Amino acid sequence: MAQKPLTKAQLVTALAEKTGADKKTASLSLEALVEIVSDEVASGGAVTLPGLGKFYCRERPARTVRNPATNEAIQKPADRQAKVTIAKALKDRVNA
């Protein structure tokens, strides 16, 4: 069974321990990083976090989808989707 993911509080604590900063500084740093990545991806850009991966926005064209319950075709408008490509370094570490 998979482990439960780290909560924000646990992540802030681990970040504070690794950097030697206090929890407030670590929390502010984490929030700033999330805001920077979110703003850049939302504006259509991309952010690469070395060793983790690349966060980017993908445009999806308008398309026809089918309702599986009624088999009715519905036109879905174009939209955008946030995507993540995992870095090779992280893949290698997970599979080591």
Side-chain angles (χ1 to χ4, degrees):
M1 187 163 106
Q3 294 179 343
K4 290 185 178 181
L6 266 88
T7 63
K8 181 180 176 184
Q10 291 169 328
L11 184 57
V12 166
T13 301
L15 185 60
E17 288 174 3
K18 284 280 190 183
T19 61
D22 58 30
K23 287 185 181 180
K24 183 172 182 173
T25 303
S27 179
L28 291 173
S29 298
L30 179 62
E31 289 173 10
L33 178 64
V34 169
E35 186 175 337
I36 291 167
V37 172
S38 298
D39 289 346
E40 185 63 27
V41 172
S43 68
V47 176
T48 300
L49 296 177
L52 287 180
K54 179 179 176 182
F55 296 81
Y56 59 98
C57 181
R58 187 184 84 148
E59 302 283 335
R60 294 195 306 182
R63 60 202 180 279
T64 302
V65 295
R66 194 166 300 280
N67 181 340
T70 63
N71 210 22
E72 175 188 3
I74 301 168
Q75 186 65 24
K76 186 167 184 188
D79 62 351
R80 296 168 33 175
Q81 182 179 32
K83 300 289 281 184
V84 178
T85 301
I86 304 301
K88 184 178 182 325
L90 181 57
K91 286 181 189 177
D92 292 345
R93 187 163 181 180
V94 167
N95 290 318

